[in-house]
Amino acid sequence: VPHHRGPRARARRGEGGRLRKDILAAAGRLLAETGDQDAVSIRAIADAVGVTPPSIYLHFTSKDELILAVCNERFAEFDRRLEEAGTRGTDLIDSMRRRAHAYVQFGLENPEHYRLLFMTRYNLTPGADDQADLAFAHHVQTVTECIEAGLFHEGDPTLLAISIWSAMHGITSLLIAQPGFPWPDRDRVVGSVLDLILDGALRPRATAQENGIR
Amino acid sequence: VPHHRGPRARARRGEGGRLRKDILAAAGRLLAETGDQDAVSIRAIADAVGVTPPSIYLHFTSKDELILAVCNERFAEFDRRLEEAGTRGTDLIDSMRRRAHAYVQFGLENPEHYRLLFMTRYNLTPGADDQADLAFAHHVQTVTECIEAGLFHEGDPTLLAISIWSAMHGITSLLIAQPGFPWPDRDRVVGSVLDLILDGALRPRATAQENGIR
DNA sequence: TGTACATCAGTGAACGCGCGTTCACTGATGTAC
DNA sequence: TGTACATCAGTGAACGCGCGTTCACTGATGTAC
C-alpha cells in the first residue's frame, strides 16, 4: 500500500485531533478496498495517512476501538441514506419501498462496509454502536406508521420490522458473499424479494381476488 | 490447542488415505469451534490430528483446497438435513415449511459452518462446490412443485426460490452475526419471517377476505 | 527582545508471536530374489 | 528362511512474512519571565 500523501506535515499545537479524522477516513477507505478488519492492518492505515504505526495509538487505544469508530461512522452514513430515501416517498408504502431499495443499494455500493456492519460480529457488546441503534429505530418507526395507517397487517411492529430487515439483508448479503452464484439480473432479484415480502405484509386489497386452488 | 489423541500411529502401507479423512474431520471440528477459516491454522489442525504440519501437504496441496473440501462435506450434510426434513412433510406446503425450519436450525446449530458456507466468499470460482449446487437445485425443485400444484403464485421458480432463500438466510445470518442485538424469542422471529414470506408466495385463498383500508 | 523551559505530536527500533509452506531427511513397511 | 532394496507416510528445522503493541526518544511549537 503506497503512501498517498507522502510524509505528513506535523500538526500544530492543539491540532492533534486532525490526525484522528484522517486516520478514520483512511481506515474506512482501506476497509472498503480490501475486505474485513483482519485484512486491514494498523501499519497499512498509518502508511496511508503518511505517519508511523505508533501514532495511531495517540488517538485510539487499540485496533478494536478504531474499527468500532469506523463502524459508527459508516452506520451514520447508512442511516442518513435510508432517511433521505424515505423522505422522497410519495406515501408511506412508497417510502418503505424506497428505504428498502436504498438499503440494498448501500450494501451493493459498499460491499465491504456492509460486510463489516452486518456480516461480522465486530460489535459483541450490546449497545456499543449508537448509530446502529438509531438506524434500527427509524426502521421500526416506518413499519409502525404503515401499521397504524392500516396498510400493513396488525401485529408486533418490531417482529414485522425484523422480518422485512431479514429479507433485505438476506438478498444483499447473498449477492455480496456469493459472487460465484449464477444470479439472474440483480434488479429483478431485488424486486422479487421486495414484492414477496410486501405482499406478505400488506393487508389484502378491499377488492376481493377470487382464485381457486387448482 | 491440545493434542486430542497424542502422537498418532503411523498408517500402514496403502492406508495413507486414512489421515486425509481425519484431517477433514479435525478441520471441520476446529472450524465449528473457533470461527472462520483464518482463525483455524494448518498447525492447529495438524496438532488436533496428532501429526506435524507438513503432513497436511501430503493430502492437500494448500490450505484453500483443504477448506474447500470441508465446505463440500458440510454442504452435503446441509442438503441431507433439508431433504430429510422435506420428506417428513404431510403435503407440499408443509414440506416447504419443514425445509425452511431445517435451514434455520442448521445455521443456528452450526453457526460457524453456516458462516463459512454462506457468509464468506470462500468459493470465488463458480461451480467449485457440487454439493452446494445440488442443495440449491433441490430447493428450486420444491418451489417448482408448489407452483405447479397451484399453491404458489405463477412466476419464475428460480426467482421465487431465491427470494425465499433470501428471507431464510437473512434471519439465520443476522441471528448469527448480531448476537448483541436485542432479539425477541428466536422461534417467534423465525416464525414471523416464514409466515411473511409464505403469505407473499401463497395464492390468495379461494374464500375472499374483505378488508377495507382504514 | 531574548532565553530557559514545558508541552506534546510524532518517531525509530524493537518485542514476541503465529502464520503457510518448503525441503532434505528418517525409518518402518513391504517386496524381490 | 534371509537379505538387500524400494517404497512412502510422516518428521524436524527452517524460510520469510506481517502482525499489534510498547517504549524510550526527538524536536518543533508555544509560553513564562
Side-chain angles (χ1 to χ4, degrees), chain A residues 94-123:
Chain A
D94 190 46
S95 283
M96 184 83 237
R97 277 187 186 277
R98 284 170 185 266
R99 287 178 59 91
H101 275 115
Y103 183 109
V104 178
Q105 198 182 344
F106 176 88
L108 298 183
E109 281 177 7
N110 312 279
E112 299 305 340
H113 286 159
Y114 188 86
R115 181 184 287 282
L116 180 64
L117 299 183
F118 290 107
M119 298 165 73
T120 67
R121 34 174 156 39
Y122 82 95
N123 52 356

PDB file of all heavy atoms in Angstrom, chain A residues 94-123:
ATOM      1  N   ASP A  94     -44.680   3.822  -0.427  1.00  0.00           N
ATOM      2  CA  ASP A  94     -43.618   4.234  -1.342  1.00  0.00           C
ATOM      3  C   ASP A  94     -42.340   4.536  -0.568  1.00  0.00           C
ATOM      4  O   ASP A  94     -41.240   4.166  -0.987  1.00  0.00           O
ATOM      5  CB  ASP A  94     -44.077   5.465  -2.135  1.00  0.00           C
ATOM      6  CG  ASP A  94     -43.117   5.799  -3.269  1.00  0.00           C
ATOM      7  OD1 ASP A  94     -42.721   4.863  -3.992  1.00  0.00           O
ATOM      8  OD2 ASP A  94     -42.749   6.976  -3.412  1.00  0.00           O
ATOM      9  N   SER A  95     -42.486   5.158   0.577  1.00  0.00           N
ATOM     10  CA  SER A  95     -41.319   5.438   1.416  1.00  0.00           C
ATOM     11  C   SER A  95     -40.652   4.141   1.870  1.00  0.00           C
ATOM     12  O   SER A  95     -39.427   4.015   1.848  1.00  0.00           O
ATOM     13  CB  SER A  95     -41.732   6.245   2.653  1.00  0.00           C
ATOM     14  OG  SER A  95     -41.944   7.587   2.307  1.00  0.00           O
ATOM     15  N   MET A  96     -41.472   3.204   2.264  1.00  0.00           N
ATOM     16  CA  MET A  96     -40.960   1.901   2.698  1.00  0.00           C
ATOM     17  C   MET A  96     -40.157   1.256   1.569  1.00  0.00           C
ATOM     18  O   MET A  96     -39.034   0.775   1.771  1.00  0.00           O
ATOM     19  CB  MET A  96     -42.153   1.012   3.069  1.00  0.00           C
ATOM     20  CG  MET A  96     -41.797  -0.330   3.620  1.00  0.00           C
ATOM     21  SD  MET A  96     -41.415  -0.271   5.389  1.00  0.00           S
ATOM     22  CE  MET A  96     -39.766  -0.950   5.353  1.00  0.00           C
ATOM     23  N   ARG A  97     -40.733   1.262   0.385  1.00  0.00           N
ATOM     24  CA  ARG A  97     -40.048   0.693  -0.783  1.00  0.00           C
ATOM     25  C   ARG A  97     -38.738   1.397  -1.064  1.00  0.00           C
ATOM     26  O   ARG A  97     -37.715   0.771  -1.337  1.00  0.00           O
ATOM     27  CB  ARG A  97     -40.926   0.842  -2.030  1.00  0.00           C
ATOM     28  CG  ARG A  97     -41.958  -0.222  -2.202  1.00  0.00           C
ATOM     29  CD  ARG A  97     -42.647  -0.069  -3.564  1.00  0.00           C
ATOM     30  NE  ARG A  97     -43.745  -1.010  -3.661  1.00  0.00           N
ATOM     31  CZ  ARG A  97     -43.588  -2.282  -4.010  1.00  0.00           C
ATOM     32  NH1 ARG A  97     -42.386  -2.736  -4.319  1.00  0.00           N
ATOM     33  NH2 ARG A  97     -44.626  -3.100  -4.044  1.00  0.00           N
ATOM     34  N   ARG A  98     -38.764   2.696  -1.007  1.00  0.00           N
ATOM     35  CA  ARG A  98     -37.541   3.457  -1.301  1.00  0.00           C
ATOM     36  C   ARG A  98     -36.468   3.192  -0.259  1.00  0.00           C
ATOM     37  O   ARG A  98     -35.281   3.101  -0.579  1.00  0.00           O
ATOM     38  CB  ARG A  98     -37.857   4.959  -1.344  1.00  0.00           C
ATOM     39  CG  ARG A  98     -38.553   5.378  -2.625  1.00  0.00           C
ATOM     40  CD  ARG A  98     -39.053   6.807  -2.524  1.00  0.00           C
ATOM     41  NE  ARG A  98     -39.828   7.180  -3.697  1.00  0.00           N
ATOM     42  CZ  ARG A  98     -39.300   7.804  -4.758  1.00  0.00           C
ATOM     43  NH1 ARG A  98     -38.026   8.106  -4.781  1.00  0.00           N
ATOM     44  NH2 ARG A  98     -40.069   8.104  -5.786  1.00  0.00           N
ATOM     45  N   ARG A  99     -36.890   3.058   0.972  1.00  0.00           N
ATOM     46  CA  ARG A  99     -35.925   2.746   2.027  1.00  0.00           C
ATOM     47  C   ARG A  99     -35.293   1.369   1.765  1.00  0.00           C
ATOM     48  O   ARG A  99     -34.091   1.178   1.914  1.00  0.00           O
ATOM     49  CB  ARG A  99     -36.599   2.759   3.392  1.00  0.00           C
ATOM     50  CG  ARG A  99     -36.947   4.158   3.910  1.00  0.00           C
ATOM     51  CD  ARG A  99     -37.666   4.072   5.253  1.00  0.00           C
ATOM     52  NE  ARG A  99     -36.846   3.396   6.252  1.00  0.00           N
ATOM     53  CZ  ARG A  99     -36.001   4.023   7.063  1.00  0.00           C
ATOM     54  NH1 ARG A  99     -35.884   5.340   7.013  1.00  0.00           N
ATOM     55  NH2 ARG A  99     -35.287   3.347   7.933  1.00  0.00           N
ATOM     56  N   ALA A 100     -36.152   0.429   1.371  1.00  0.00           N
ATOM     57  CA  ALA A 100     -35.655  -0.920   1.109  1.00  0.00           C
ATOM     58  C   ALA A 100     -34.659  -0.925  -0.051  1.00  0.00           C
ATOM     59  O   ALA A 100     -33.597  -1.548   0.029  1.00  0.00           O
ATOM     60  CB  ALA A 100     -36.821  -1.867   0.817  1.00  0.00           C
ATOM     61  N   HIS A 101     -34.999  -0.204  -1.096  1.00  0.00           N
ATOM     62  CA  HIS A 101     -34.062  -0.141  -2.228  1.00  0.00           C
ATOM     63  C   HIS A 101     -32.764   0.554  -1.827  1.00  0.00           C
ATOM     64  O   HIS A 101     -31.685   0.146  -2.247  1.00  0.00           O
ATOM     65  CB  HIS A 101     -34.712   0.566  -3.427  1.00  0.00           C
ATOM     66  CG  HIS A 101     -35.520  -0.352  -4.274  1.00  0.00           C
ATOM     67  ND1 HIS A 101     -36.893  -0.243  -4.413  1.00  0.00           N
ATOM     68  CD2 HIS A 101     -35.169  -1.435  -5.012  1.00  0.00           C
ATOM     69  CE1 HIS A 101     -37.334  -1.202  -5.205  1.00  0.00           C
ATOM     70  NE2 HIS A 101     -36.311  -1.953  -5.582  1.00  0.00           N
ATOM     71  N   ALA A 102     -32.883   1.594  -1.017  1.00  0.00           N
ATOM     72  CA  ALA A 102     -31.675   2.293  -0.567  1.00  0.00           C
ATOM     73  C   ALA A 102     -30.812   1.358   0.274  1.00  0.00           C
ATOM     74  O   ALA A 102     -29.575   1.399   0.212  1.00  0.00           O
ATOM     75  CB  ALA A 102     -32.057   3.531   0.242  1.00  0.00           C
ATOM     76  N   TYR A 103     -31.477   0.507   1.052  1.00  0.00           N
ATOM     77  CA  TYR A 103     -30.753  -0.467   1.880  1.00  0.00           C
ATOM     78  C   TYR A 103     -29.878  -1.363   0.999  1.00  0.00           C
ATOM     79  O   TYR A 103     -28.671  -1.473   1.190  1.00  0.00           O
ATOM     80  CB  TYR A 103     -31.761  -1.312   2.659  1.00  0.00           C
ATOM     81  CG  TYR A 103     -31.153  -2.306   3.618  1.00  0.00           C
ATOM     82  CD1 TYR A 103     -31.245  -2.116   4.993  1.00  0.00           C
ATOM     83  CD2 TYR A 103     -30.493  -3.457   3.168  1.00  0.00           C
ATOM     84  CE1 TYR A 103     -30.691  -3.019   5.880  1.00  0.00           C
ATOM     85  CE2 TYR A 103     -29.929  -4.356   4.035  1.00  0.00           C
ATOM     86  CZ  TYR A 103     -30.038  -4.143   5.394  1.00  0.00           C
ATOM     87  OH  TYR A 103     -29.471  -5.043   6.261  1.00  0.00           O
ATOM     88  N   VAL A 104     -30.528  -1.989   0.023  1.00  0.00           N
ATOM     89  CA  VAL A 104     -29.786  -2.901  -0.849  1.00  0.00           C
ATOM     90  C   VAL A 104     -28.699  -2.150  -1.612  1.00  0.00           C
ATOM     91  O   VAL A 104     -27.566  -2.625  -1.743  1.00  0.00           O
ATOM     92  CB  VAL A 104     -30.734  -3.599  -1.844  1.00  0.00           C
ATOM     93  CG1 VAL A 104     -29.950  -4.503  -2.777  1.00  0.00           C
ATOM     94  CG2 VAL A 104     -31.793  -4.398  -1.092  1.00  0.00           C
ATOM     95  N   GLN A 105     -29.048  -0.967  -2.060  1.00  0.00           N
ATOM     96  CA  GLN A 105     -28.086  -0.180  -2.831  1.00  0.00           C
ATOM     97  C   GLN A 105     -26.849   0.162  -2.000  1.00  0.00           C
ATOM     98  O   GLN A 105     -25.715   0.068  -2.492  1.00  0.00           O
ATOM     99  CB  GLN A 105     -28.751   1.095  -3.331  1.00  0.00           C
ATOM    100  CG  GLN A 105     -27.996   1.747  -4.482  1.00  0.00           C
ATOM    101  CD  GLN A 105     -28.662   3.034  -4.924  1.00  0.00           C
ATOM    102  OE1 GLN A 105     -29.817   3.291  -4.590  1.00  0.00           O
ATOM    103  NE2 GLN A 105     -27.929   3.836  -5.676  1.00  0.00           N
ATOM    104  N   PHE A 106     -27.086   0.529  -0.756  1.00  0.00           N
ATOM    105  CA  PHE A 106     -25.944   0.826   0.120  1.00  0.00           C
ATOM    106  C   PHE A 106     -25.021  -0.388   0.205  1.00  0.00           C
ATOM    107  O   PHE A 106     -23.805  -0.279   0.088  1.00  0.00           O
ATOM    108  CB  PHE A 106     -26.415   1.212   1.518  1.00  0.00           C
ATOM    109  CG  PHE A 106     -25.290   1.431   2.499  1.00  0.00           C
ATOM    110  CD1 PHE A 106     -24.693   2.674   2.635  1.00  0.00           C
ATOM    111  CD2 PHE A 106     -24.814   0.371   3.283  1.00  0.00           C
ATOM    112  CE1 PHE A 106     -23.640   2.874   3.525  1.00  0.00           C
ATOM    113  CE2 PHE A 106     -23.756   0.565   4.169  1.00  0.00           C
ATOM    114  CZ  PHE A 106     -23.171   1.812   4.289  1.00  0.00           C
ATOM    115  N   GLY A 107     -25.632  -1.552   0.399  1.00  0.00           N
ATOM    116  CA  GLY A 107     -24.838  -2.771   0.529  1.00  0.00           C
ATOM    117  C   GLY A 107     -24.044  -3.090  -0.722  1.00  0.00           C
ATOM    118  O   GLY A 107     -22.872  -3.453  -0.655  1.00  0.00           O
ATOM    119  N   LEU A 108     -24.683  -2.931  -1.868  1.00  0.00           N
ATOM    120  CA  LEU A 108     -24.010  -3.305  -3.111  1.00  0.00           C
ATOM    121  C   LEU A 108     -22.966  -2.274  -3.518  1.00  0.00           C
ATOM    122  O   LEU A 108     -21.972  -2.614  -4.176  1.00  0.00           O
ATOM    123  CB  LEU A 108     -25.037  -3.511  -4.224  1.00  0.00           C
ATOM    124  CG  LEU A 108     -26.039  -4.644  -3.943  1.00  0.00           C
ATOM    125  CD1 LEU A 108     -26.987  -4.835  -5.108  1.00  0.00           C
ATOM    126  CD2 LEU A 108     -25.322  -5.955  -3.624  1.00  0.00           C
ATOM    127  N   GLU A 109     -23.191  -1.028  -3.126  1.00  0.00           N
ATOM    128  CA  GLU A 109     -22.193   0.006  -3.449  1.00  0.00           C
ATOM    129  C   GLU A 109     -21.009  -0.025  -2.495  1.00  0.00           C
ATOM    130  O   GLU A 109     -19.904   0.379  -2.845  1.00  0.00           O
ATOM    131  CB  GLU A 109     -22.842   1.399  -3.400  1.00  0.00           C
ATOM    132  CG  GLU A 109     -23.648   1.746  -4.632  1.00  0.00           C
ATOM    133  CD  GLU A 109     -24.330   3.101  -4.498  1.00  0.00           C
ATOM    134  OE1 GLU A 109     -24.066   3.810  -3.508  1.00  0.00           O
ATOM    135  OE2 GLU A 109     -25.151   3.424  -5.374  1.00  0.00           O
ATOM    136  N   ASN A 110     -21.255  -0.467  -1.278  1.00  0.00           N
ATOM    137  CA  ASN A 110     -20.184  -0.504  -0.279  1.00  0.00           C
ATOM    138  C   ASN A 110     -20.105  -1.892   0.340  1.00  0.00           C
ATOM    139  O   ASN A 110     -20.320  -2.064   1.544  1.00  0.00           O
ATOM    140  CB  ASN A 110     -20.468   0.523   0.832  1.00  0.00           C
ATOM    141  CG  ASN A 110     -20.833   1.880   0.278  1.00  0.00           C
ATOM    142  OD1 ASN A 110     -19.971   2.658  -0.089  1.00  0.00           O
ATOM    143  ND2 ASN A 110     -22.126   2.151   0.201  1.00  0.00           N
ATOM    144  N   PRO A 111     -19.816  -2.880  -0.500  1.00  0.00           N
ATOM    145  CA  PRO A 111     -19.928  -4.269  -0.012  1.00  0.00           C
ATOM    146  C   PRO A 111     -19.059  -4.545   1.209  1.00  0.00           C
ATOM    147  O   PRO A 111     -19.487  -5.272   2.111  1.00  0.00           O
ATOM    148  CB  PRO A 111     -19.493  -5.103  -1.214  1.00  0.00           C
ATOM    149  CG  PRO A 111     -18.761  -4.163  -2.117  1.00  0.00           C
ATOM    150  CD  PRO A 111     -19.361  -2.824  -1.891  1.00  0.00           C
ATOM    151  N   GLU A 112     -17.888  -3.977   1.239  1.00  0.00           N
ATOM    152  CA  GLU A 112     -17.011  -4.310   2.364  1.00  0.00           C
ATOM    153  C   GLU A 112     -17.439  -3.594   3.637  1.00  0.00           C
ATOM    154  O   GLU A 112     -17.297  -4.129   4.728  1.00  0.00           O
ATOM    155  CB  GLU A 112     -15.558  -4.017   2.012  1.00  0.00           C
ATOM    156  CG  GLU A 112     -15.041  -4.828   0.827  1.00  0.00           C
ATOM    157  CD  GLU A 112     -15.217  -6.330   1.003  1.00  0.00           C
ATOM    158  OE1 GLU A 112     -15.373  -6.798   2.137  1.00  0.00           O
ATOM    159  OE2 GLU A 112     -15.228  -7.048  -0.017  1.00  0.00           O
ATOM    160  N   HIS A 113     -17.960  -2.400   3.493  1.00  0.00           N
ATOM    161  CA  HIS A 113     -18.516  -1.741   4.673  1.00  0.00           C
ATOM    162  C   HIS A 113     -19.745  -2.510   5.159  1.00  0.00           C
ATOM    163  O   HIS A 113     -19.934  -2.722   6.348  1.00  0.00           O
ATOM    164  CB  HIS A 113     -18.887  -0.285   4.373  1.00  0.00           C
ATOM    165  CG  HIS A 113     -17.696   0.616   4.268  1.00  0.00           C
ATOM    166  ND1 HIS A 113     -17.719   1.823   3.620  1.00  0.00           N
ATOM    167  CD2 HIS A 113     -16.425   0.467   4.727  1.00  0.00           C
ATOM    168  CE1 HIS A 113     -16.525   2.384   3.694  1.00  0.00           C
ATOM    169  NE2 HIS A 113     -15.726   1.576   4.339  1.00  0.00           N
ATOM    170  N   TYR A 114     -20.568  -2.919   4.188  1.00  0.00           N
ATOM    171  CA  TYR A 114     -21.762  -3.678   4.572  1.00  0.00           C
ATOM    172  C   TYR A 114     -21.371  -4.958   5.292  1.00  0.00           C
ATOM    173  O   TYR A 114     -21.945  -5.313   6.327  1.00  0.00           O
ATOM    174  CB  TYR A 114     -22.611  -4.015   3.344  1.00  0.00           C
ATOM    175  CG  TYR A 114     -23.934  -4.631   3.744  1.00  0.00           C
ATOM    176  CD1 TYR A 114     -25.028  -3.839   4.049  1.00  0.00           C
ATOM    177  CD2 TYR A 114     -24.062  -6.021   3.878  1.00  0.00           C
ATOM    178  CE1 TYR A 114     -26.229  -4.397   4.454  1.00  0.00           C
ATOM    179  CE2 TYR A 114     -25.258  -6.585   4.285  1.00  0.00           C
ATOM    180  CZ  TYR A 114     -26.332  -5.766   4.574  1.00  0.00           C
ATOM    181  OH  TYR A 114     -27.499  -6.334   5.001  1.00  0.00           O
ATOM    182  N   ARG A 115     -20.374  -5.604   4.743  1.00  0.00           N
ATOM    183  CA  ARG A 115     -19.885  -6.838   5.371  1.00  0.00           C
ATOM    184  C   ARG A 115     -19.470  -6.585   6.821  1.00  0.00           C
ATOM    185  O   ARG A 115     -19.813  -7.334   7.732  1.00  0.00           O
ATOM    186  CB  ARG A 115     -18.697  -7.365   4.560  1.00  0.00           C
ATOM    187  CG  ARG A 115     -18.088  -8.651   5.070  1.00  0.00           C
ATOM    188  CD  ARG A 115     -16.869  -9.029   4.241  1.00  0.00           C
ATOM    189  NE  ARG A 115     -17.216  -9.515   2.930  1.00  0.00           N
ATOM    190  CZ  ARG A 115     -17.670 -10.743   2.686  1.00  0.00           C
ATOM    191  NH1 ARG A 115     -17.832 -11.600   3.685  1.00  0.00           N
ATOM    192  NH2 ARG A 115     -17.941 -11.118   1.467  1.00  0.00           N
ATOM    193  N   LEU A 116     -18.756  -5.509   7.004  1.00  0.00           N
ATOM    194  CA  LEU A 116     -18.288  -5.175   8.349  1.00  0.00           C
ATOM    195  C   LEU A 116     -19.455  -4.893   9.293  1.00  0.00           C
ATOM    196  O   LEU A 116     -19.482  -5.369  10.435  1.00  0.00           O
ATOM    197  CB  LEU A 116     -17.372  -3.948   8.266  1.00  0.00           C
ATOM    198  CG  LEU A 116     -16.791  -3.440   9.582  1.00  0.00           C
ATOM    199  CD1 LEU A 116     -15.888  -4.486  10.199  1.00  0.00           C
ATOM    200  CD2 LEU A 116     -16.050  -2.136   9.362  1.00  0.00           C
ATOM    201  N   LEU A 117     -20.434  -4.135   8.812  1.00  0.00           N
ATOM    202  CA  LEU A 117     -21.532  -3.725   9.691  1.00  0.00           C
ATOM    203  C   LEU A 117     -22.483  -4.864  10.019  1.00  0.00           C
ATOM    204  O   LEU A 117     -22.987  -4.957  11.129  1.00  0.00           O
ATOM    205  CB  LEU A 117     -22.326  -2.587   9.042  1.00  0.00           C
ATOM    206  CG  LEU A 117     -21.573  -1.286   8.753  1.00  0.00           C
ATOM    207  CD1 LEU A 117     -22.518  -0.241   8.192  1.00  0.00           C
ATOM    208  CD2 LEU A 117     -20.894  -0.774  10.009  1.00  0.00           C
ATOM    209  N   PHE A 118     -22.755  -5.709   9.013  1.00  0.00           N
ATOM    210  CA  PHE A 118     -23.848  -6.675   9.197  1.00  0.00           C
ATOM    211  C   PHE A 118     -23.448  -8.142   9.129  1.00  0.00           C
ATOM    212  O   PHE A 118     -24.240  -9.004   9.433  1.00  0.00           O
ATOM    213  CB  PHE A 118     -24.920  -6.425   8.130  1.00  0.00           C
ATOM    214  CG  PHE A 118     -25.696  -5.158   8.317  1.00  0.00           C
ATOM    215  CD1 PHE A 118     -25.488  -4.072   7.490  1.00  0.00           C
ATOM    216  CD2 PHE A 118     -26.633  -5.051   9.336  1.00  0.00           C
ATOM    217  CE1 PHE A 118     -26.202  -2.895   7.662  1.00  0.00           C
ATOM    218  CE2 PHE A 118     -27.356  -3.889   9.520  1.00  0.00           C
ATOM    219  CZ  PHE A 118     -27.138  -2.800   8.686  1.00  0.00           C
ATOM    220  N   MET A 119     -22.228  -8.423   8.695  1.00  0.00           N
ATOM    221  CA  MET A 119     -21.898  -9.827   8.469  1.00  0.00           C
ATOM    222  C   MET A 119     -20.767 -10.341   9.351  1.00  0.00           C
ATOM    223  O   MET A 119     -20.374 -11.494   9.246  1.00  0.00           O
ATOM    224  CB  MET A 119     -21.561 -10.045   6.982  1.00  0.00           C
ATOM    225  CG  MET A 119     -22.739  -9.719   6.077  1.00  0.00           C
ATOM    226  SD  MET A 119     -22.283  -9.537   4.334  1.00  0.00           S
ATOM    227  CE  MET A 119     -21.988 -11.238   3.880  1.00  0.00           C
ATOM    228  N   THR A 120     -20.236  -9.476  10.188  1.00  0.00           N
ATOM    229  CA  THR A 120     -19.219  -9.946  11.128  1.00  0.00           C
ATOM    230  C   THR A 120     -19.730  -9.665  12.535  1.00  0.00           C
ATOM    231  O   THR A 120     -20.680  -8.917  12.715  1.00  0.00           O
ATOM    232  CB  THR A 120     -17.884  -9.221  10.935  1.00  0.00           C
ATOM    233  OG1 THR A 120     -18.037  -7.852  11.308  1.00  0.00           O
ATOM    234  CG2 THR A 120     -17.429  -9.295   9.493  1.00  0.00           C
ATOM    235  N   ARG A 121     -19.088 -10.260  13.503  1.00  0.00           N
ATOM    236  CA  ARG A 121     -19.543  -9.982  14.863  1.00  0.00           C
ATOM    237  C   ARG A 121     -18.597  -9.012  15.559  1.00  0.00           C
ATOM    238  O   ARG A 121     -18.066  -9.268  16.618  1.00  0.00           O
ATOM    239  CB  ARG A 121     -19.721 -11.251  15.671  1.00  0.00           C
ATOM    240  CG  ARG A 121     -18.780 -12.384  15.387  1.00  0.00           C
ATOM    241  CD  ARG A 121     -18.971 -13.514  16.362  1.00  0.00           C
ATOM    242  NE  ARG A 121     -18.537 -14.810  15.876  1.00  0.00           N
ATOM    243  CZ  ARG A 121     -17.460 -15.070  15.150  1.00  0.00           C
ATOM    244  NH1 ARG A 121     -16.658 -14.108  14.781  1.00  0.00           N
ATOM    245  NH2 ARG A 121     -17.167 -16.305  14.801  1.00  0.00           N
ATOM    246  N   TYR A 122     -18.386  -7.864  14.914  1.00  0.00           N
ATOM    247  CA  TYR A 122     -17.473  -6.884  15.477  1.00  0.00           C
ATOM    248  C   TYR A 122     -18.027  -6.293  16.765  1.00  0.00           C
ATOM    249  O   TYR A 122     -17.307  -5.962  17.676  1.00  0.00           O
ATOM    250  CB  TYR A 122     -17.201  -5.758  14.477  1.00  0.00           C
ATOM    251  CG  TYR A 122     -18.266  -4.704  14.443  1.00  0.00           C
ATOM    252  CD1 TYR A 122     -18.128  -3.545  15.194  1.00  0.00           C
ATOM    253  CD2 TYR A 122     -19.420  -4.861  13.694  1.00  0.00           C
ATOM    254  CE1 TYR A 122     -19.123  -2.584  15.187  1.00  0.00           C
ATOM    255  CE2 TYR A 122     -20.403  -3.917  13.690  1.00  0.00           C
ATOM    256  CZ  TYR A 122     -20.259  -2.777  14.438  1.00  0.00           C
ATOM    257  OH  TYR A 122     -21.243  -1.844  14.437  1.00  0.00           O
ATOM    258  N   ASN A 123     -19.349  -6.124  16.793  1.00  0.00           N
ATOM    259  CA  ASN A 123     -19.951  -5.482  17.967  1.00  0.00           C
ATOM    260  C   ASN A 123     -20.521  -6.528  18.915  1.00  0.00           C
ATOM    261  O   ASN A 123     -21.700  -6.811  18.920  1.00  0.00           O
ATOM    262  CB  ASN A 123     -21.033  -4.503  17.550  1.00  0.00           C
ATOM    263  CG  ASN A 123     -22.035  -5.136  16.621  1.00  0.00           C
ATOM    264  OD1 ASN A 123     -21.857  -6.292  16.238  1.00  0.00           O
ATOM    265  ND2 ASN A 123     -23.083  -4.431  16.282  1.00  0.00           N
TER     266      ASN A 123
END
